[in-house]
Each structure stands twice: as C-alpha cells, then as structure tokens.
Amino acid sequence: MGSVAAALQERGFRISGSDESVYPPMSIFLEERGIKLHQGYRKENLPADADIVVLGNAMKRGNPEVEAVLNRKLFYLSLPEVLKNYFLRGKHNLVVTGTHGKTTTTSLLTWIMEKAGRKPGYLIGGIPKNLGQGARLNGCKYFVIEGDEYDSAFFDKRSKFIHYLPELVIVNNIEFDHADIFRNLDEIKLSFRRLLNIVPQNGMVLVNGDDHNCVEVAKDCLAQLVEVGFSKNCAQRIRDVTYSPKGSQFKLGDDVYEIPLIGEFNVRNAAMAASAARFYDVPKSKIENALKSFTGIARSGKRCKLYGSVIRVSGFGRSSSRARTRPGARFFRKNCRRRSKWRTAFSLPKWRGLSKFRKRSV
C-alpha cells in the first residue's frame, strides 16, 4: 500500500492515509515523500475534496472511515483495482500465483528480466536481496507481480489476482489455504479457473505438471499452456537435479541451470521463472547468469548451524507439505547419513499456523 501511495504521489495525486499504527521504515518512507499519515481511524481524516478513497484489505464495516466513505457516497476502490487501473492496464503483466513459492518465483523472474535489461515494474510480497525493495512502479511495458488468491476487499470477495490483467500466469501449486475466506479446495480451484479464463489467447499459462490440482484447473484454458515439472508428461521437464552445499543444478529441456538455492521447491521455482522469461525471448545466457547471481529473499530460508550436528532452517510457511520439501531437506537427509548423526530442524513461526516441523536423519 505504501509503495503504491508513493507512486501515485509521483503521478501528481495528493495523497494522505490512515492506519492503526505506522512504524519505520514505512513511516519514514512516506514522510520523506510528503505523504500525510494519520494514526488511527477517524472520519475527520478523510479530506473534504477526496476524489478517490483506496480501502485496504483489512478494512471492515464498522470502521469509522469506511462508514464515512459510504455515508458521503465517495468513490472508493480496492488496492488491486488501483493497480489495475493506474499501473497494469496496457502492460505485459506476468502474474505469479500458487499456494507456495510465489515470492521466490516472482523475485527470480523479476531478477531475470532486470538482468536482461527489461527494467520491469514489479510488486513482490517480500524484499528480494538483489533488488533491495519489494516494489517498483515505473512506466516499463513489463510488470511482474505476485498474485495472491486472498480476497480483494470487504466489498469484493474475488481474489486479488483477478484484477491483474494477466498476459502470462504461473501456477506453482494449489492446496487448501485461507480457511477464513474459502470453505474448501473447490472454491480455491474455482478462483484459479477464473484467473486462467482471462488470459488472452496470445498469452501463456505455465502450470506445475506434477500437481493434479494445477493440471485440472487449466484443462479448459484457451491460452497457450505448458506444464513444467519433474513428470514425464511435462513439456518442460526438470531432469538431472543435483544438490550441493552451494546450491542446485538442473536440466530444463536442453538447458542446464544453476541456482544458489537448495531443494525441490526452489528448483521448480527457478524452472518456472526461466520458462516465463523464454516466452519473452530472454536469451538463455541471460537467464543462466541471473539464476546464478540470485541471492534470495530477505529473512526467508536462512540457515545456521546451532551446535554439533544440528542444522536449523528458519523461514515462513504454513503447511507440512512445504516444510517436507523445504530448501535443503532432501540434500541433508540424503547426504548426512554418511556423517555420524545429523538432524535438520525446520522452524516456522507459530502465527502462521504451524509452529514447527522436525525431520530426523540418522
């Protein structure tokens, strides 16, 4: 929201905003750009001459500013609608979706396009170390965006990614998630079907060919469709994967790539990003150099040796399926049997629903 506010200010809008609590660095970022911040929500915070009010996803009925907007019959939009109307329309929009891996894959794809000289705009739900910031809303014809299936606003229960005018869509995986807004897996799959239904025929859909749910939601897609994965049925098949302490190497079609990340999830993320970049005619050499130089996401998947033979990997995740293939899990399970006793511990924040997953290897 803050990055979008700053970009709108650069386009000539006068911006002010409210939040319950605004802390550095975002408060400093906005204040440096002359954006007025209000602590707490009050109807008096709304300017008398407001042209547009952007209501964030957390806003609900009963909020004093929401009620004032409705009572005054002001023009209001959700944040995804603002992105659609002011930043994405007319662009080549590359939308990265899926239950897991969105941030890493979006960051990889953005970095590939950046290294290829395309200077894309981007919006990522994390801070890629290579880029130093999670958003760049420029005038480039390419825009890479992390597509969230969560709802857009209290008045628009469609998934955010429906608004992103996709030309290319990556579907990493589909599992049941967001139980506060989806009753079951079928509702989530319906949302993905609606997304793929608006990809133009001259666009591209890349799906995880190893994930039955992904293949199912894409079966009636009218855009070009390519399955990416380890299965024999995948048009872009991942083969000859090897892991080392420095990263992973894999073969995609006839091309060999290396990434300084470990694990099956990251190999597939990289394969998806590489496949998307090739659709936009990025040379193989540019993709290869970008993948080799990718330095990851800030605070995601950090590894440290705690003591003796214990290696601990900390990161963000919500499901045991992801934890089981967390970066390095297979490598350490396979290789550490040769060295006395090792244990890999995967700790996930309690607030994300799964406090800890631990796998012992002997």
Side-chain angles (χ1 to χ4, degrees):
M1 182 74 86
S3 298
V4 175
L8 288 170
Q9 178 104 331
E10 292 174 0
R11 294 191 173 200
F13 289 89
R14 287 185 292 112
I15 306 294
S16 64
S18 305
D19 204 344
E20 193 64 48
S21 299
V22 185
Y23 302 104
M26 183 52 69
S27 59
I28 297 173
F29 172 82
L30 295 174
E31 288 169 358
E32 287 177 344
R33 286 155 179 79
I35 296 175
K36 186 176 181 180
L37 300 174
H38 299 285
Q39 293 279 353
Y41 300 106
R42 295 178 297 275
K43 63 180 181 180
E44 294 80 15
N45 293 345
L46 292 169
D49 59 347
D51 295 310
I52 304 173
V53 180
V54 183
L55 298 177
N57 179 266
M59 296 297 96
K60 308 295 181 185
R61 288 301 304 269
N63 180 289
E65 293 191 32
V66 171
E67 297 306 315
V69 167
L70 297 176
N71 290 337
R72 290 170 55 184
K73 299 178 175 57
L74 298 177
F75 179 50
Y76 60 90
L77 296 170
S78 67
L79 180 60
E81 287 177 305
V82 170
L83 291 169
K84 174 182 179 179
N85 290 303
Y86 294 96
F87 298 100
L88 301 180
R89 194 173 297 282
K91 303 286 184 67
H92 299 280
N93 299 311
L94 293 69
V95 184
V96 180
T97 72
T99 309
H100 313 300
K102 293 187 293 293
T103 300
T104 301
T105 307
T106 310
S107 301
L108 282 162
L109 180 53
T110 302
W111 182 236
I112 291 172
M113 299 294 279
E114 180 76 6
K115 290 286 282 183
R118 306 296 174 90
K119 302 294 182 184
Y122 57 86
L123 188 60
I124 304 170
I127 301 179
K129 294 178 182 179
N130 296 90
L131 301 168
Q133 57 187 19
R136 182 169 68 192
L137 301 161
N138 57 14
C140 179
K141 65 179 181 178
Y142 299 104
F143 201 100
V144 187
I145 185 168
E146 182 173 333
D148 190 359
E149 68 269 26
Y150 207 77
D151 60 7
S152 300
F154 77 87
F155 55 86
D156 182 0
K157 307 311 287 184
R158 292 174 297 172
S159 294
K160 295 175 185 176
F161 55 41
I162 292 296
H163 296 283
Y164 293 162
L165 303 175
E167 179 177 77
L168 179 142
V169 171
I170 291 174
V171 186
N172 267 333
N173 38 65
I174 301 176
E175 296 180 13
F176 180 65
D177 198 6
H178 304 305
D180 53 330
I181 61 169
F182 294 111
R183 288 177 293 185
N184 50 51
L185 178 60
D186 287 337
E187 288 191 354
I188 294 177
K189 288 158 69 173
L190 176 60
S191 193
F192 277 90
R193 287 192 185 95
R194 288 170 173 165
L195 172 66
L196 299 188
N197 195 42
I198 58 174
V199 180
Q201 286 185 323
N202 62 352
M204 170 66 76
V205 173
L206 300 169
V207 301
N208 180 351
D210 304 322
D211 188 312
H212 172 74
N213 293 324
C214 293
V215 175
E216 182 184 343
V217 300
K219 64 181 180 181
D220 295 323
C221 179
L222 295 181
Q224 301 176 67
L225 175 66
V226 174
E227 295 182 7
V228 181
F230 295 86
S231 305
K232 292 181 179 180
N233 61 290
C234 293
Q236 283 289 85
R237 189 181 177 194
I238 303 167
R239 295 179 290 119
D240 302 335
V241 180
T242 58
Y243 301 122
S244 73
K246 294 183 178 180
S248 307
Q249 183 182 87
F250 64 96
K251 193 172 184 179
L252 184 66
D254 295 325
D255 300 328
V256 177
Y257 297 108
E258 296 178 20
I259 53 171
L261 303 171
I262 301 173
E264 181 179 307
F265 259 92
N266 282 322
V267 168
R268 183 182 282 106
N269 292 340
M272 285 289 194
S275 299
R278 292 307 299 267
F279 179 70
Y280 292 97
D281 296 323
V282 176
K284 190 260 182 181
S285 60
K286 298 287 187 181
I287 298 173
E288 183 179 9
N289 291 335
L291 292 180
K292 282 183 177 180
S293 61
F294 183 69
T295 53
I297 315 298
R299 297 186 62 191
S300 178
K302 288 189 175 180
R303 182 179 67 192
C304 61
K305 186 173 181 179
L306 293 183
Y307 61 89
S309 60
V310 176
I311 295 174
R312 192 181 191 92
V313 180
S314 299
F316 296 98
R318 293 184 297 278
S319 76
S320 58
S321 66
R322 187 181 185 187
R324 280 192 295 270
T325 51
R326 201 65 182 151
R330 289 192 171 184
F331 171 78
F332 288 116
R333 286 202 298 267
K334 177 181 178 182
N335 293 279
C336 292
R337 289 190 181 95
R338 302 171 187 170
R339 317 176 187 173
S340 66
K341 294 183 179 180
W342 289 77
R343 184 170 68 232
T344 53
F346 297 85
S347 298
L348 300 98
K350 292 182 179 179
W351 60 270
R352 297 299 293 270
L354 178 64
S355 61
K356 184 176 291 185
F357 170 85
R358 177 164 291 175
K359 177 69 178 181
R360 179 184 293 272
S361 296
V362 178

